[in-house]
Amino acid sequence: MKALKTLNPYFWKHKILLFWGVLFIIASNFFNIYKIQFVGKSVDVLKDSAENGSLGFNQQVLIYVAIIVGCSLLTGFFTFMMRQTIIVASRRIEYELKNKIYRHYQDLSLTDYKQTTIGDLMNRLSEDVVAVRMYLGPGVMYVANLIVLVVITAIYMLKTDVSMTLWTLLPLPILSYAIYKVSSVINRKSKIMQKSQSAISTFVQDSFSGIRVVKFFAREKYIEKNYGVKVTDYQDKALDLAKTEAYFFTIILFVIGLLNVAIIWIGGQKYIAGELSIGKIADFFMYINTLIFPFSMVGWVTSVNQRAEASMQRINEFMDKKSDIVNTNFENYPIKGNIEFRNVSYVYPNTGIKALDNISFTVKAGESLAIMGKTGSGKSTIALLLCRLLDPTEGEILIDGRNLKDHNLENYRNFIGYIPQESYLFSDSIENNIGFAVDHPTHEKVVEYARIADVDKNIVGFKEQYKTMVGERGVMLSGGQKQRICIARALIKDPNIIIFDDSLSALDTETEQNILENIERKIINATSIIITHRESSAQKADKIINLTEINNSLTA
């Protein structure tokens, strides 16, 4: 279970809660076992009373009953406190782990996201973390409880009768060996099952995201059939794992049965020989039966811990990934907007496609550059490189005369307004989507930039106006409305560099010209990069470059 070692720092961080939890485990088990001897004493007192013919009120038995009740109450209290420390610690670690994973997801580069699926990312953040939390809480608690219980019970059993203790505890090493053998099988099958679960999450996410395409082509039955295949595969793997886990309970019940038989056989012989009283034999039955539930949980706990190990291994795979984009500068300073590409080339690592080959150009602050070219010529790659979502394979990009890699990335992006090729809106209100790029935008400012993006006239026609919910990915809006809201979102930052990545394609010529004129009037000193297929979008640019698809040659 090497993967779970990465959780050790969390245990150390919450050591005080866990320390108290262990103390409560010891206390609850001590009182739980301590009371048993008084059951045996009560049996012996009642037996002696019966033999003497005096079965009336017995003060000694009453005292024993009071001790048993008091110990039971204390056991319940310390058990409650045990859960309030260890389980609470596990919930806190779960919270911290989810936040850490989510922050790491934010730091991963665009290339990393292209190499995995959203469903798999979601599954690791939800299902896998829950599996790890079960190890952190119940897994740790039941194991610690069993160890303490066995130690305390063994001490009292040895005090009662050494030979009976040795005979009744003898099967435990056999039980441990059986658990060891079966747990390795559970670990392997848990990993297979969790991969199948990730495949389901990915498929469901894809089918719901593309629900309009599914309905348009009337492929609901085809999607349902494929979903059924994946669910059946998961069911088969889950049932296979459940069958293996079932062996634990069978083994444990069999061993417990042997222990009870051993007590009856050995205890009966000792009673006949006058070496052991009925009360002591009753004590042994209660000691063993006290161990039944904790030992019956061994199989479940082992299964939980093996699943947690498999989940933590999957989590560590992502946590060990280092982003290609690393920020080494944390200074804050203004960005003027001078851009220079020097012999820049880029090869996509996942496909090996060379998107750009030895590209060079210069744009001064305040100038506008239109980039044109056929599909696949590398226009969008230039936008991604400018935003430093990618780093060039060769060459360098200079911003204000300084290599982009040497800039404070967060500071630099605060001065950029980027409108992506695909208009993406969050499932939120129109106002919150426009104001997303800045902290605490006023309603007046949102309206101002909606007007610049020429979308205010559409928004005020909605029933809820700026409070209108756009739906997932902006499904409630038209393509042109989404594009203009994205433009308003980028402009509300009042950026010094504006990048339009073919983001005017869904607009008519009149709306396009209105937006460009509004931007020219409002954001005078900004450097504009307009990536487009349309000559109308490029006609007002100070410079125009054309990329060819064959070797990315550049024509100004």
Side-chain angles (χ1 to χ4, degrees), residues 90-106:
S90 73
R91 288 293 187 179
R92 290 181 181 178
I93 295 174
E94 177 190 22
Y95 168 80
E96 294 166 4
L97 187 60
K98 281 191 173 184
N99 282 329
K100 182 179 180 181
I101 295 170
Y102 190 78
R103 284 195 300 269
H104 187 70
Y105 280 1
Q106 299 290 318

Side-chain angles (χ1 to χ4, degrees), residues 2-168:
K2 295 178 181 178
L4 294 174
K5 290 182 179 179
T6 55
L7 295 170
N8 290 344
Y10 292 100
F11 285 122
W12 181 251
K13 181 178 179 181
H14 298 277
K15 58 183 180 294
I16 295 177
L17 266 179
L18 295 172
F19 171 76
W20 280 107
V22 171
L23 290 183
F24 292 138
I25 287 174
I26 294 172
S28 65
N29 282 295
F30 171 77
F31 287 108
N32 191 32
I33 299 302
Y34 178 75
K35 69 184 179 183
I36 290 177
Q37 60 186 312
F38 295 99
V39 175
K41 290 179 180 179
S42 299
V43 171
D44 286 337
V45 169
L46 292 173
K47 174 180 172 294
D48 293 339
S49 298
E51 290 176 350
N52 296 329
S54 55
L55 285 173
F57 176 79
N58 193 307
Q59 185 177 359
Q60 189 63 44
V61 172
L62 187 61
I63 293 172
Y64 291 157
V65 170
I67 293 173
I68 293 170
V69 172
C71 287
S72 298
L73 292 174
L74 288 172
T75 299
F77 171 74
F78 286 118
T79 300
F80 171 79
M81 295 304 298
M82 171 184 72
R83 299 187 65 87
Q84 286 298 303
T85 49
I86 294 179
I87 301 299
V88 166
S90 73
R91 288 293 187 179
R92 290 181 181 178
I93 295 174
E94 177 190 22
Y95 168 80
E96 294 166 4
L97 187 60
K98 281 191 173 184
N99 282 329
K100 182 179 180 181
I101 295 170
Y102 190 78
R103 284 195 300 269
H104 187 70
Y105 280 1
Q106 299 290 318
D107 292 336
L108 291 177
S109 66
L110 198 62
T111 304
D112 293 318
Y113 277 99
K114 288 184 177 181
Q115 293 173 345
T116 187
T117 60
I118 301 300
D120 191 38
L121 290 173
M122 293 294 294
N123 200 60
R124 295 179 198 232
L125 188 59
S126 55
E127 299 296 330
D128 285 337
V129 173
V130 169
V132 171
R133 195 264 304 166
M134 292 298 290
Y135 156 74
L136 294 167
V140 170
M141 184 178 68
Y142 284 125
V143 169
N145 183 71
L146 178 60
I147 293 171
V148 171
L149 184 62
V150 169
V151 171
I152 296 175
T153 305
I155 292 172
Y156 275 93
M157 290 173 73
L158 288 169
K159 286 173 61 178
T160 304
D161 189 276
V162 176
S163 61
M164 273 192 69
T165 301
L166 295 177
W167 279 106
T168 52

Side-chain angles (χ1 to χ4, degrees), residues 352-396:
I353 296 174
K354 195 166 192 177
L356 295 175
D357 186 12
N358 198 30
I359 297 296
S360 298
F361 63 84
T362 302
V363 185
K364 294 180 181 180
E367 288 186 343
S368 57
L369 169 69
I371 302 176
M372 303 183 70
K374 294 182 178 179
T375 301
S377 59
K379 301 186 301 298
S380 293
T381 303
I382 291 177
L384 296 176
L385 289 168
L386 267 175
C387 295
R388 212 193 163 197
L389 294 172
L390 303 173
D391 276 339
T393 308
E394 298 175 5
E396 60 180 350

Side-chain angles (χ1 to χ4, degrees), residues 449-455 480 483-485 487-488 491 500 503-504 507-522:
Y449 283 90
R451 287 172 179 166
I452 293 173
D454 203 25
V455 71
Q483 276 195 343
R484 282 175 286 166
I485 289 174
I487 292 171
L491 297 180
F500 294 85
S503 49
L504 300 170
L507 307 179
D508 59 77
T509 305
E510 181 182 354
T511 303
E512 176 189 17
Q513 292 304 315
N514 288 340
I515 292 172
L516 293 175
E517 289 174 5
N518 291 341
I519 293 173
E520 189 176 1
R521 285 196 304 269
K522 179 65 179 178

Side-chain angles (χ1 to χ4, degrees), residues 195-233:
K195 286 182 180 179
S196 179
Q197 189 176 42
S198 290
I200 293 175
S201 299
T202 299
F203 182 84
V204 170
Q205 192 271 336
D206 284 344
S207 59
F208 286 162
S209 296
I211 191 65
R212 285 183 291 181
V213 178
V214 173
K215 288 184 175 295
F216 179 80
F217 287 100
R219 300 295 286 170
E220 291 91 343
K221 291 184 178 179
Y222 170 78
I223 293 294
E224 185 178 350
K225 181 181 178 181
N226 285 347
Y227 176 74
V229 170
K230 294 184 182 298
V231 171
T232 301
D233 178 68

